Amino acid sequence: MRPPPLAAIGLLLLLLPPPAAGSDRKRTLCQSCRTVVDKFNQGMAKTAKKNFGGGNTAWEEKTLSKYEFSEIRLLEIMEGLCDSSDFECNQLLEEQEEQLEVWWLHLKKEHPDLFEWFCVHTLRACCLPGTYGPDCQVCQGGSKRPCSGNGHCSGDGSRQGDGSCQCHAGYKGPLCFDCMDGYFSSLRNKTHSICTGCDESCKTCSGPTNRDCVECEVGWERVEDACVDVDECAAETPPCSDTQYCENVNGSYTCEECDSTCVGCIGKGPANCKECVSGYTKESGQCADIDECSLAEKACKRKNENCYNTPGSFVCVCPEGFEDTEDACVQTAEGEVAEENPTQPPSHEDL
């Protein structure tokens, strides 16, 4: 690369293609421009202590001009500006390479901030921080502390947006200077406002405790000079269904399902059942399974039938070698043979 004559710099700036129109293009152009500038500054930092790399540095600097301002250093910086997969960055660099060369060789001392010179004033792709829109107007609240420092200026730093304030949590108003419900002003002067969260019991407040509530939050009530939690579970009419129990939480309540052994309950687990479901009985204060097979009255009525206990019930099964009939478990012919010959010595053929 060779620097153009100084007389041609103005003509060069006029002839270079302007950025394409359209809000999406401008947004992408600004992002790409920021990327190029960030990478350029990184490249300057990496090459800050380098030289030409030859054996006679003093001669090279005297004869070839100092490496610090040389085209060789510029080429080394330019090589690493864009990733190969970043199409927008590479396209911008291809279109504006000569602009960067002009700045490096002739304008850097007069305009040391590359972002401001290149992205804001030359390409008109971005705005300085604290400004927005096509003409880089000042954000609400001023460019130094837009939105009082408590929000984001729409379009800040870009050619987009309307400059309105999008307030952070706890703040409201056109300049994000006022506190939302649930927050109180812990610091306020002509330039600064800090909003701090109220106690959870307060809908509005003047300070940080439940005694500073101006209005209690839903699920809380004022008792003397403080907002305290309402125990909905203690209401005369329970808020949960017959198969649930109520758990009080701050400002509200939850309904939890009773244990499967319960018919109604007052809390978690089989020890809090009001009544037990069929097949269970109160034992040591909680609902326990009834072993129907061990009761004095036989649960399985048919002759030869075996009883097996299950949770909350039981099953009746004929033993092996017996078959079901309506009135009894009847031994089969195979069962009789097995009973007569419970163990058969192996035959000569089986050995």
Side-chain angles (χ1 to χ4, degrees), residues 1-4 6 9 69-72 74 98-109:
M1 292 185 296
R2 289 186 176 181
L6 291 177
I9 292 176
F69 307 105
S70 68
E71 291 185 56
I72 293 176
L74 175 61
E98 291 183 77
Q99 291 274 40
L100 292 172
E101 183 181 354
V102 168
W103 175 80
W104 176 264
L105 296 173
H106 303 287
L107 302 175
K108 186 168 60 170
K109 289 185 178 180

Side-chain angles (χ1 to χ4, degrees), residues 113-265:
D113 189 330
L114 177 58
F115 171 77
E116 183 176 352
W117 179 84
F118 186 50
C119 300
V120 177
H121 297 306
T122 302
L123 297 187
R124 299 181 61 82
C126 305
C127 291
L128 290 173
T131 63
Y132 73 95
D135 300 318
C136 293
Q137 296 170 268
V138 175
C139 287
Q140 295 289 327
S143 59
K144 292 184 177 179
R145 293 183 69 250
C147 306
S148 308
N150 301 323
H152 175 71
C153 167
S154 173
D156 192 350
S158 74
R159 298 278 170 162
Q160 311 299 313
D162 60 6
S164 61
C165 289
Q166 299 161 353
C167 300
H168 299 326
Y171 297 89
K172 67 178 182 179
L175 296 179
C176 302
F177 209 72
D178 301 318
C179 299
M180 295 177 62
D181 285 354
Y183 294 80
F184 68 96
S185 179
S186 56
L187 173 66
R188 188 182 181 96
N189 56 34
K190 290 183 178 180
T191 58
H192 288 74
S193 174
I194 297 178
C195 296
T196 304
C198 298
D199 185 83
E200 63 177 334
S201 63
C202 305
K203 183 174 182 179
T204 57
C205 69
S206 59
T209 74
N210 67 335
R211 296 183 180 277
D212 297 312
C213 299
V214 176
E215 182 182 356
C216 294
E217 186 58 89
V218 175
W220 306 77
E221 62 183 353
R222 189 172 295 280
V223 176
E224 296 180 353
D225 62 346
C227 288
V228 296
D229 175 51
V230 175
D231 186 356
E232 293 86 355
C233 299
E236 184 175 345
T237 303
C240 301
S241 72
D242 293 339
T243 62
Q244 297 174 320
Y245 65 93
C246 182
E247 283 277 7
N248 188 57
V249 296
N250 283 345
S252 188
Y253 66 93
T254 61
C255 293
E256 306 291 343
E257 294 299 321
C258 293
D259 190 83
S260 60
T261 63
C262 299
V263 177
C265 65

